[in-house]
């Protein structure tokens, strides 16, 4: 998919518009499976929350992926996309026992991350296989908002609570078939990941009937030129070797699971917006696009970097801009960015817009959420219509106040 394809898509479907390249998603999927080709039983469960459009889920299913879900609605989306219940794992945090029971009843693998619900679920359904999510207390990422394995994290059962956990499992005679960890986004250091893996192996030894070990995700993808990224090939080589050795020691061949979101879809996404206003102030030149953090919140929420290019004037002289949005709130996409000279009406593209972009979009300022387009086998397919005013009013209930005549 080229930049001129993006321009043509914006002309056909309007802007702002999210565009996803199926070829890139497939390439990332294959890169990951190739890196772990020495593992006999490997499973990739795509993390639906990164980009949950049902056509994207179908594409991942076609590639051979399973699904990682965090809510009963994501499970339902997965089923709607044709995933079998047994190809779905449900890894919620802080949900009700009732929701977990409903998902278990659908035949989906459940993953429990706290002792309270583990005990309640185990008491009521001792026969249902359950995976447990542990917190190995390692810092795998840089930003504390997106690192979920450290000591203050709300995720997982602390490894310091293993004795209590074992007592619950023994008392309820429940069936633990998997151990899971997800140390959060952005694995920068493979040795840190391998260290966490050792903790998972140590935990696994306590359970006799395991079927799989789930190492979660957190693979880092590059957001700009020369950005660091997880060396998947190196991780594959080192972890595969260790995993195979562990299975020997354990006495059974286990399945190795990963559940990447960002790694599979981030780079496949391109968000195309149009410049409404170029505004020169005393300190900077603002380019204001027809979008805001209502459509792409990552820069404001996490300080994430999305590379920005001018699609309409790619060869123009580069100048410095602050690219901001149109909502009534500070919504900076990028400060002091070198971009080919911008004129009002130009199309700007934000790269790495596949993961946690549309799926975090809102109607703030009563704006419509953008359309989504999948570029597949050389053709653009609309996979979500742009919203309309009916969508804004949908579900709102008007009260019939008695009319007061205006003064
Ligand atoms: C969000 C999430 C993932 C995916 O994380 P990425 O950084 O997008 O790869 C995997 N597993 C669980 C349990 C998650 O909550």
């Amino acid at each position: 998919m080229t930049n001129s394809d993006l321009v043509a898509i914006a002309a056909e479907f309007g802007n702002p518009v999210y565009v996803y390249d199926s070829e890139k998603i497939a390439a990332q999927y294959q890169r990951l499976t190739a890196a772990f080709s020495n593992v006999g039983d490997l499973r990739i469960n795509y993390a639906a929350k990164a980009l949950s459009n049902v056509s994207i889920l179908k594409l991942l299913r076609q590639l051979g992926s399973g699904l990682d879900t965090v809510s009963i609605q994501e499970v339902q989306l997965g089923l709607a996309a044709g995933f079998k219940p047994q190809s779905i794992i449900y890894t919620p945090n802080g949900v009700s026992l009732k929701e977990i029971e409903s998902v278990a009843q659908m035949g989906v693998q459940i993953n429990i991350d706290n002792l309270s619900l583990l005990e309640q679920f185990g008491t009521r359904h001792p026969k249902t296989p359950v995976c447990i999510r542990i917190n190995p207390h390692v810092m795998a990422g840089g930003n504390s908002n997106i690192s979920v394995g450290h000591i203050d994290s709300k995720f997982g059962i602390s490894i310091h609570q293993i004795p209590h956990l074992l007592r619950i499992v023994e008392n309820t005679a429940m069936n633990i078939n998997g151990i899971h960890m997800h140390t959060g986004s952005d694995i920068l250091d493979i040795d840190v990941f391998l260290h966490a893996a050792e903790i998972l192996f140590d935990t696994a030894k306590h359970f006799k009937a395991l079927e799989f070990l789930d190492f979660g995700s957190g693979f880092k993808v590059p957001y700009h030129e020369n950005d660091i990224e997880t060396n998947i090939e190196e991780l594959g080589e080192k972890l595969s070797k260790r995993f195979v050795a562990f299975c020997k020691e354990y006495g059974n061949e286990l399945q190795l699971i990963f559940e990447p979101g960002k790694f599979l879809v981030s780079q496949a996404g391109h968000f195309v917006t149009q410049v409404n206003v170029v505004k020169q102030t005393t300190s900077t030149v603002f380019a204001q696009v027809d979008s805001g953090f209502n459509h792409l919140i990552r820069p404001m929420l996490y300080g994430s970097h999305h590379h920005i290019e001018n699609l309409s004037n790619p060869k123009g002289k580069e100048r410095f801009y602050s690219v901001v949005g149109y909502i009534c709130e500070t919504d900076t996409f990028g400060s002091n960015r070198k971009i080919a000279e911008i004129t009002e009406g130009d199309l700007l593209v934000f790269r790495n817009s596949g993961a946690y972009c549309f799926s975090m979009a809102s109607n703030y300022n009563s704006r419509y959420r953008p359309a989504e387009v999948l570029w597949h086998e050389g053709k653009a397919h609309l996979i979500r219509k742009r919203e309309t005013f009916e969508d804004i009013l949908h579900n709102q209930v008007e009260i019939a106040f008695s009319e007061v005549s205006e003064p």
Side-chain angles (χ1 to χ4, degrees):
M1 195 182 61
T2 63
N3 284 350
S4 41
D5 294 326
L6 289 174
V7 172
I9 287 168
E12 183 176 354
F13 300 98
N15 41 268
V17 60
Y18 277 100
V19 186
Y20 312 114
D21 181 358
S22 69
E23 215 174 292
K24 181 65 184 174
I25 296 174
Q28 290 294 94
Y29 186 86
Q30 274 134 24
R31 188 178 158 206
L32 189 54
T33 48
F36 288 88
S37 57
N38 288 335
V39 172
D41 192 358
L42 175 75
R43 172 153 204 99
I44 309 295
N45 287 333
Y46 167 60
K49 74 177 187 289
L51 175 59
S52 48
N53 186 294
V54 75
S55 290
I56 299 293
L57 302 187
K58 277 187 164 174
L59 172 71
L60 267 307
R61 181 171 66 81
Q62 203 191 36
L63 291 170
S65 180
L67 202 65
D68 175 65
T69 59
V70 295
S71 69
I72 189 168
Q73 289 80 11
E74 282 189 356
V75 171
Q76 288 167 316
L77 268 178
L79 295 172
F83 284 94
K84 294 197 184 76
Q86 58 268 32
S87 302
I88 303 177
I89 181 165
Y90 170 66
T91 304
N93 173 260
V95 306
S96 66
L97 177 64
K98 199 165 152 239
E99 181 168 316
I100 295 178
E101 288 180 328
S102 305
V103 172
Q105 207 147 52
M106 295 169 173
V108 167
Q109 171 72 50
I110 60 167
N111 185 5
I112 295 184
D113 94 326
N114 64 83
L115 294 178
S116 170
L117 291 188
L118 185 75
E119 183 161 21
Q120 293 176 63
F121 188 89
T123 305
R124 292 159 66 113
H125 315 278
K127 292 209 160 59
T128 305
V130 170
C131 173
I132 43 184
R133 177 175 186 171
I134 61 155
N135 182 344
H137 300 307
V138 296
M139 273 290 266
N143 183 331
S144 65
N145 288 326
I146 51 177
S147 296
V148 293
H150 58 90
I151 194 91
D152 295 327
S153 163
K154 68 167 186 166
F155 299 97
I157 297 167
S158 167
I159 42 156
H160 305 303
Q161 293 178 304
I162 297 289
H164 188 182
L165 165 68
L166 292 174
R167 217 163 28 247
I168 289 171
V169 171
E170 196 185 311
N171 291 346
T172 57
M174 65 190 299
N175 173 12
I176 303 298
N177 69 338
I179 311 286
H180 168 278
M181 69 171 190
H182 171 62
T183 52
S185 277
D186 293 5
I187 296 172
L188 303 176
D189 188 340
I190 286 177
D191 289 333
V192 174
F193 192 86
L194 291 172
H195 173 68
E198 288 306 323
I199 296 170
L200 196 76
F201 292 137
D202 282 343
T203 309
K205 287 176 196 157
H206 295 290
F207 301 90
K208 298 288 162 270
L210 294 180
E211 293 164 8
F212 64 88
L213 296 181
D214 187 333
F215 291 85
S217 175
F219 305 125
K220 167 121 182 60
V221 297
Y223 276 77
H224 50 86
E225 240 179 285
N226 307 320
D227 196 7
I228 30 178
E229 64 177 305
T230 307
N231 187 333
I232 292 291
E233 287 70 27
E234 186 190 344
L235 181 69
E237 202 183 304
K238 291 184 173 168
L239 183 60
S240 297
K241 213 162 152 192
R242 184 63 190 96
F243 183 79
V244 170
F246 174 78
C247 289
K248 268 217 184 88
E249 197 184 321
Y250 184 76
N252 208 347
E253 198 186 308
L254 300 171
Q255 186 175 56
L256 189 163
I257 302 180
F258 282 113
E259 43 191 40
K262 201 184 272 181
F263 179 81
L264 293 175
V265 298
S266 174
Q267 292 159 289
H270 308 262
F271 184 45
V272 182
T273 64
Q274 187 165 33
V275 177
N276 285 333
V277 180
V278 176
K279 181 175 191 172
Q280 172 97 53
T281 66
T282 45
S283 59
T284 187
V285 182
F286 286 107
Q288 286 196 278
V289 297
D290 58 353
S291 181
F293 73 55
N294 50 332
H295 296 156
L296 202 178
I297 201 172
R298 299 184 74 256
M300 293 304 292
L301 188 60
Y302 302 128
S304 308
H305 182 101
H306 288 264
H307 183 65
I308 307 170
E309 283 169 53
N310 186 348
L311 293 174
S312 305
N313 183 27
K315 297 212 166 70
K317 183 172 153 40
E318 291 190 317
R319 316 193 66 166
F320 286 94
Y321 295 94
S322 288
V323 178
V324 298
Y326 65 176
I327 60 172
C328 291
E329 189 99 39
T330 300
D331 57 349
T332 308
F333 290 111
S335 301
N336 213 29
R337 294 291 186 85
K338 215 172 172 183
I339 302 171
E341 184 156 19
I342 298 174
T343 310
E344 290 173 0
D346 283 357
L347 295 176
L348 301 191
V349 62
F350 298 76
R351 304 296 188 190
N352 282 76
S353 292
Y356 308 106
C357 292
F358 186 94
S359 64
M360 286 190 172
S362 77
N363 289 118
Y364 187 48
N365 277 208
S366 294
R367 293 286 181 183
Y368 308 144
R369 279 180 295 178
E372 291 181 291
V373 169
L374 180 65
W375 181 260
H376 183 61
E377 293 173 348
K379 268 176 63 187
H381 304 263
L382 184 67
I383 58 171
R384 186 190 301 263
K385 295 181 204 163
R386 186 178 311 285
E387 288 181 327
T388 63
F389 190 63
E390 280 72 56
D391 295 311
I392 302 290
L393 273 184
H394 186 67
N395 283 344
Q396 297 197 47
V397 180
E398 288 185 56
I399 294 183
F401 292 109
S402 58
E403 291 297 325
V404 178
S405 56
E406 286 180 35

